[in-house]
């Protein structure tokens, strides 16, 4: 059942909060924990639907997952040591969980059915199946048009490959590297622009041998040495920058706000949003930058700021790919035009986020247009609001437009806030704690 929710102009936001653990790192901690020998202890794991689906999947494949005293423990089965599940693996709304686990299953001699919800069943799986099939994964699906549900058969005899990513995707890169763990020799993925590198960082942290090489013009080659052994590790998951993005945006537009978000992941492959906001004139200060478990983290102090429109180059897209819906909403509060270039990948997210962002803005009285793969928003310094926004089963569209409502003149309603539970169940409670109101 759909759950509509309305956000109205907010009083000033103030206080200190922590956002829940990073979704990308949470998926990977569970997956590498399952492939390691020994026990992996995870603190700060994101307990949202997407990650819980991955936890259920690794448990169904034989890696015990249990929670006690705020810590999640995964009993690893070793690389190649998972066993066939009793039924289909259901990844709900999660592209990351399903695509990374296709890479894991590829290296196991077993047949597995992958499925998901209506949104995930529309998303392209061919981008992962193509390299995995070259390594030896079998599937009946037509690779070019594959979608879930699909049945795949892995093998204990994978071939190592060198793969040039046709799209800048951390999910595809990760799926190939995870399969490469269980192939003899070296598996290399060449990415046109460096996408998030949590898989590489965490593989190194778990003891795998891998290295990265610059290929010029932003491109990178990442190589994993196969027949790897991973050792269970302790992981402290830092706060999710993609969830923080909504809170930062709310503080920037709700007049007189001054907040601190503690312990946010500041990995440079995820920091494009903050870089862009600073170019727009946002007052964001990093306090106490430090390194935790191989990832940079820090506290962010954010104060309400007058924003100006900017041009966001296509090369920045991978480092802020999930933040475009909220950037598009913020751009409406800026003075002048914001042009976001090279957003083809936005069309294959939980919804077509390029179209959904433009439609939501139009419903809220903002002039926005899609030009090919670019999104252009006319900022007028203030937003009328008053719209009903279609969220299309997309958590980030729901949160972006509720945030827009906190700064708009008239309340903004999203048709369905239930999908927020896939990534950031604390979105409403945390903003409420800072001073926002929803009904
Ligand atoms: C993710 C990678 C990105 C991102 C997604 C999480 C990951 O997808 O949009 O939310 O954890 O690897 P792509 O790799 O498909 O761009």
């Amino acid at each position: 059942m759909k759950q509509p929710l309305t956000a109205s102009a907010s009083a000033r936001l103030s206080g200190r909060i922590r956002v829940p653990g990073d979704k990308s790192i949470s998926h990977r901690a569970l997956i590498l924990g399952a492939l390691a020998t020994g026990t992996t202890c995870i603190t700060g794991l994101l307990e949202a639907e997407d990650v819980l689906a991955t936890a259920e999947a690794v448990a169904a494949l034989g890696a015990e997952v249990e929670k006690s005293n705020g810590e999640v423990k995964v009993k690893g089965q070793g690389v190649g040591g998972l066993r066939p599940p009793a039924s289909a693996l259901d990844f709900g709304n999660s592209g990351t969980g399903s695509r990374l686990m296709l890479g894991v299953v590829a290296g196991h001699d077993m047949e597995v059915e992958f499925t998901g919800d209506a949104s995930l069943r529309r998303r392209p799986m061919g981008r992962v199946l193509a390299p995995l099939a070259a390594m030896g994964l079998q599937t009946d699906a037509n690779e070019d048009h594959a979608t879930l549900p699909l049945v795949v058969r892995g093998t204990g005899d994978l071939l190592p490959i060198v793969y040039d990513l046709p799209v800048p995707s951390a999910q595809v890169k990760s799926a190939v590297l995870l399969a490469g763990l269980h192939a003899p020799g070296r598996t290399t993925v060449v990415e046109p622009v460096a996408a998030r590198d949590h898989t590489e960082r965490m593989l190194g942290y778990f003891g795998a041998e891998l290295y990265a090489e610059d290929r010029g013009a932003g491109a990178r080659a990442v190589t994993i040495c196969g027949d790897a052994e991973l050792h269970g590790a302790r992981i402290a998951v830092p706060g999710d920058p993609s969830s923080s993005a909504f809170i930062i945006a709310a503080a920037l537009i709700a007049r007189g706000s001054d907040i601190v978000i503690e312990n946010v992941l500041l990995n440079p492959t995820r920091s494009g949003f903050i870089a862009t906001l600073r170019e727009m004139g946002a007052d964001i200060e990093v306090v106490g930058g430090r390194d935790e478990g191989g990832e940079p983290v820090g506290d962010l102090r954010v104060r309400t700021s007058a924003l100006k429109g900017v041009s966001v180059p296509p090369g920045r897209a991978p480092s802020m790919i999930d933040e475009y819906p909220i950037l598009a909403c913020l751009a409406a509060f800026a003075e002048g035009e914001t042009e976001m270039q090279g957003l083809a990948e936005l069309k294959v997210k939980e919804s077509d986020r390029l179209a959904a962002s433009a439609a939501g803005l139009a419903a809220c009285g903002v002039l926005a247009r899609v030009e090919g793969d670019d999104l252009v928003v006319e900022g007028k310094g203030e937003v009328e609001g008053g719209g009903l926004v279609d969220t299309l089963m997309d958590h980030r569209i729901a949160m972006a437009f509720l945030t827009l409502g906190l700064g708009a003149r008239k309340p903004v309603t999203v048709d369905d806030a239930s999908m927020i539970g896939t990534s950031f169940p604390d979105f409403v409670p945390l903003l409420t704690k800072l001073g926002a109101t929803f009904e």
Side-chain angles (χ1 to χ4, degrees):
M1 244 228 327
K2 285 191 178 181
Q3 293 169 15
L5 189 63
T6 299
S8 322
S10 175
R12 65 184 285 269
L13 304 179
S14 66
R16 299 177 75 89
I17 55 157
R18 274 186 180 228
V19 293
D22 183 64
K23 182 150 75 75
S24 293
I25 294 180
S26 295
H27 283 295
R28 288 158 172 82
L30 290 166
I31 292 172
L32 293 197
L35 293 175
T37 50
T39 301
T40 288
C41 299
I42 312 166
T43 52
L45 186 84
L46 171 65
E47 294 188 36
E49 288 159 22
D50 276 13
V51 174
L52 296 177
T54 293
E56 275 172 31
V58 299
L61 291 163
E64 214 174 283
V65 181
E66 60 173 45
K67 190 177 169 189
S68 62
N69 300 328
E71 215 179 51
V72 173
K73 289 196 169 77
V74 186
K75 283 206 184 119
Q77 302 299 303
V79 172
L82 298 173
R83 55 173 162 68
S87 52
L89 302 180
D90 186 344
F91 288 92
N93 194 249
S94 180
T96 308
S98 54
R99 294 193 177 116
L100 267 54
M101 288 304 293
L102 279 165
V104 170
V105 165
H108 290 78
D109 183 9
M110 59 190 177
E111 194 169 271
V112 181
E113 182 178 356
F114 282 67
T115 190
D117 71 9
S119 157
L120 185 55
R121 275 188 261 125
R122 283 191 289 268
R123 300 181 64 189
M125 291 293 149
R127 51 178 55 203
V128 196
L129 292 180
L132 295 179
M135 296 178 81
L137 180 76
Q138 289 177 11
T139 168
D140 288 341
N142 172 338
E143 275 163 34
D144 291 335
H145 306 288
T147 48
L148 301 190
L150 53 87
V151 177
V152 295
R153 167 160 275 288
T155 166
D157 272 324
L158 284 180
L159 293 170
I161 57 168
V162 176
Y163 191 63
D164 272 297
L165 284 178
V167 284
S169 164
Q171 294 179 0
V172 181
K173 168 175 67 174
S174 301
V176 176
L177 293 175
L178 289 169
L181 272 178
H182 200 40
R186 287 152 202 261
T187 295
T188 299
V189 182
V190 184
E191 46 183 355
V193 187
R196 65 190 70 194
D197 61 359
H198 311 303
T199 304
E200 297 94 297
R201 285 176 187 251
M202 206 184 288
L203 278 168
Y205 188 65
F206 273 74
E209 210 183 309
L210 81 172
Y211 51 92
E213 251 176 280
D214 258 338
R215 288 284 173 97
R220 248 173 31 128
V222 184
T223 299
I224 176 110
C225 303
D227 288 333
E229 225 183 275
L230 304 180
H231 305 288
R234 296 194 75 82
I235 305 268
V237 184
D240 194 324
S242 299
S243 298
S244 306
F246 302 106
I247 312 282
I248 294 171
L252 289 174
I253 58 178
R255 284 204 191 94
S257 298
D258 185 353
I259 63 159
V260 174
I261 314 172
E262 295 173 346
N263 200 43
V264 181
L265 173 72
L266 296 174
N267 179 317
T269 62
R270 299 282 298 280
S271 298
F273 182 64
I274 290 180
T276 303
L277 293 184
R278 285 188 166 144
E279 288 171 9
M280 294 173 84
D283 182 352
I284 303 175
E285 200 185 329
V286 176
V287 196
R290 57 202 178 270
D291 211 81
E292 269 182 24
E295 293 276 5
V297 299
D299 302 340
L300 298 178
R301 179 170 184 195
V302 187
R303 282 170 275 198
T304 305
S305 310
L307 302 175
K308 62 178 191 318
V310 292
S311 178
V312 189
R316 197 177 285 170
S319 68
M320 53 176 297
I321 193 67
D322 293 334
E323 281 67 81
Y324 283 101
I326 185 60
L327 179 65
C329 289
L330 265 184
F333 291 92
E335 289 287 353
E337 192 174 274
T338 291
E339 187 185 14
M340 292 157 261
Q341 299 165 346
L343 307 186
E345 278 297 297
L346 279 198
K347 297 177 188 167
V348 290
K349 296 296 177 187
E350 286 82 331
S351 69
D352 174 347
R353 287 185 177 158
L354 199 47
S357 299
L361 288 171
C364 295
V366 180
L367 285 176
R369 57 186 190 278
V370 175
E371 290 177 356
D373 292 337
D374 302 344
L375 178 61
V376 184
V377 178
E378 302 282 347
K380 295 269 186 265
E382 57 182 17
V383 172
E384 183 63 15
L388 172 63
V389 175
D390 196 349
T391 56
L392 303 162
M393 290 188 80
D394 190 327
H395 54 131
R396 296 201 200 279
I397 296 296
M399 290 186 280
F401 283 95
L402 286 169
T403 305
L404 178 141
L406 297 176
R409 280 216 288 262
K410 295 185 192 146
V412 172
T413 301
V414 300
D415 68 330
D416 185 14
S418 65
M419 298 312 285
I420 292 173
T422 64
S423 69
F424 192 6
D426 288 343
F427 171 77
V428 167
L430 280 178
L431 276 167
T432 305
K433 187 175 159 204
L434 291 173
T437 38
F438 298 89
E439 57 201 66

